Amino acid sequence: MPAPLRIGLAGLGTVGSGVIRMLQTHGETIATRAGRPIEISAVSARSRHRDRGVDLSAYDWEDDPVALARRADVDLVVEVIGGEDGPARATATAAIAGGKHVVTANKALLARHGQALAEAAEAAGVALRFEAAVAGGIPVVKALTEGLAGNAVTRVMGVMNGTCNYILTQMEATGAPYAEVLAEAQRLGYAEADPAFDVGGIDAAQKLALLSAIAFGARVDFAGIAVEGIERVNLADIEHAAEMGYRIKLLCVARHTPEGLEARTQPCLVPAGSPLGMLEGVTNMVLLEGDFVGRIVLSGPGAGAGPTASAILGDLVDVARGFVMPAFGQPAASLARTNRPAATSAAAYYLRFALTDAPGVLGRVARALGSAGISIDRMRQIAHAGAEAPVLIVTHRTERAALDMALAEITGFDVCRAEPVAIRVEEV
């Protein structure tokens, strides 16, 4: 059998330990499939003595991950340290400079420095692989770079953060408010002690930045993605959406428009009976649309030791087989700087108003919308007690600028008791 692919593993948290466990469990099978053994030469982490539930005795230890990346007995560095700068960036940079392949699960690193790292890897003739950085165990990067390589991708859309999907589905299922469900997610380990990265939409947007680069031949541009989290999603909106046949999801959407590449992460209403609408718990789902293939749907666990380690091993097997390709599916220098339109494409919107219950109030709202060129698809007043009447409206397709103009006028009415809520209805 050919010489082994020798690994330096930087980071021994949940994912790093999962990689070791997978190699120790299925090493012979993996070697058969890869055509050569895949062996760990050395490991590195912040604490040498922490019990990680795996046997590290066969591996050399390096306190410094950069020193690990420079070892002569390392052909490939697996970087699962995390963070967009610091040791993670230094380790990946040192590995590439030394002519070593890099496999990473670090979306934050790639969302910020992916272009530079990809160019460096291509110049050095080494692989930079990151299947594990997007949607956990779902092979969406491979699907875009290989399976759909003959297609012009028209849209990428999906739920790419399991924490947010868990919170939204639990709010609907239990009737509990956002803060209560978030606390439960933290107790279960689905949300971090500081959940802002997840619930603020940043994690999902970083993943979308990477998929957009592959799908549309665009330079990685995290700053060009419009980001909105789920912190302001109200239980009432989840319940009202369900009554009208919708569910609220934190969606990642990227698509080409005449004005440029539209890329956004935001809460949206989707039909309850659609694949995205039926998605429960911490599961991720990505929809890819191509001009020849049509639509394909990929679904599975988006995080965790097993799924993420599985994605890393898939990349390791490819490199062991000698498969080296540009990180984003085409030469990094050919990735285009794309225009990012200031406005999103037209869509229907769900609107919720808290209005004074008095004659003529609904007419004033309808006239304000009509004056802005917005037509109403359906309207409903919720049964209530007291002087405040909740009113729900779903519009026909409209430009967001026109809607904002109408909402600004309505907010100024003396009968408007709270700021209106507007949530996009995404076509699925």
Side-chain angles (χ1 to χ4, degrees), residues 382-425:
I382 305 299
H384 65 286
E388 184 177 295
V391 174
L392 309 179
I393 292 175
V394 176
T395 73
H396 287 291
R397 286 169 58 85
T398 185
E399 301 290 342
R400 182 68 202 223
L403 179 62
D404 287 341
M405 182 176 66
L407 293 180
E409 180 182 354
I410 294 168
T411 301
F413 291 168
D414 56 2
V415 296
C416 190
R417 308 288 290 272
E419 184 178 352
V421 171
I423 305 176
R424 182 185 176 99
V425 180

Side-chain angles (χ1 to χ4, degrees), residues 226 257 259-264 340-346 349 399-402 404 424:
T257 72
E259 292 75 33
L261 178 59
E262 177 186 322
R264 50 189 163 80
R340 300 296 177 124
T344 57
S345 53
Y349 283 86
E399 301 290 342
R400 182 68 202 223
D404 287 341
R424 182 185 176 99

Side-chain angles (χ1 to χ4, degrees), residues 282-366:
V282 295
T283 306
N284 282 199
M285 179 177 286
V286 184
L287 279 64
L288 305 174
E289 297 175 353
D291 58 347
F292 275 74
V293 75
R295 172 183 294 176
I296 65 171
V297 180
L298 304 173
S299 179
T308 309
S310 174
I312 288 172
L313 261 295
D315 282 342
L316 293 181
V317 167
D318 273 351
V319 175
R321 291 169 173 163
F323 183 44
V324 177
M325 65 175 293
F328 297 104
Q330 65 184 68
S334 71
L335 298 174
R337 297 184 184 276
T338 56
N339 182 52
R340 300 296 177 124
T344 57
S345 53
Y349 283 86
Y350 158 94
L351 310 176
R352 177 169 57 83
F353 301 95
L355 305 172
T356 300
D357 190 3
V361 170
L362 287 180
R364 293 180 66 186
V365 170

Side-chain angles (χ1 to χ4, degrees), residues 63-286:
D63 290 319
D64 181 4
V66 174
L68 174 84
R70 290 174 175 158
R71 287 177 63 110
D73 61 350
V74 166
D75 305 311
L76 181 152
V77 173
V78 174
E79 185 280 302
V80 285
I81 300 169
E84 64 182 32
D85 283 302
R89 184 185 180 191
T91 300
T93 300
I96 292 170
K100 305 177 193 298
H101 309 288
V102 173
V103 171
T104 180
N106 191 340
K107 55 195 163 290
L109 172 70
L110 294 173
R112 178 156 184 192
H113 303 293
Q115 182 70 33
L117 289 172
E119 290 179 1
E122 289 172 32
V126 298
L128 173 63
R129 304 296 293 259
F130 56 91
E131 185 69 73
V134 183
I138 303 174
V140 61
V141 172
K142 185 177 283 287
L144 280 171
T145 55
E146 299 175 41
L148 301 183
N151 285 258
V153 177
T154 54
R155 182 167 65 159
V156 173
M157 177 169 58
V159 170
M160 301 185 206
N161 184 274
T163 299
C164 290
N165 202 56
Y166 174 83
I167 291 171
L168 294 172
T169 54
Q170 282 298 106
M171 287 174 69
E172 181 180 355
T174 65
Y178 170 82
E180 184 178 320
V181 176
L182 172 59
E184 179 65 14
Q186 290 170 319
R187 285 193 293 271
L188 293 172
Y190 295 150
E192 301 290 341
D194 180 2
F197 192 71
D198 288 316
V199 300
I202 297 170
D203 170 83
Q206 289 175 338
K207 297 170 185 176
L208 184 63
L210 303 182
L211 294 186
S212 296
I214 302 170
F216 303 107
R219 293 201 166 213
V220 179
D221 181 17
F222 173 69
I225 297 177
V227 183
E228 180 184 350
I230 65 168
E231 305 98 319
R232 296 179 59 198
V233 175
N234 190 290
L235 179 59
D237 295 317
I238 291 176
E239 293 172 343
H240 296 326
E243 291 167 2
M244 294 188 295
Y246 294 104
R247 299 184 84 183
I248 298 178
K249 301 291 181 182
L250 182 71
L251 285 192
C252 297
V253 182
R255 53 177 299 205
H256 263 308
T257 72
E259 292 75 33
L261 178 59
E262 177 186 322
R264 50 189 163 80
T265 297
Q266 65 181 151
C268 296
L269 270 69
V270 299
S274 67
L276 286 168
M278 294 187 286
L279 192 66
E280 299 286 342
V282 295
T283 306
N284 282 199
M285 179 177 286
V286 184

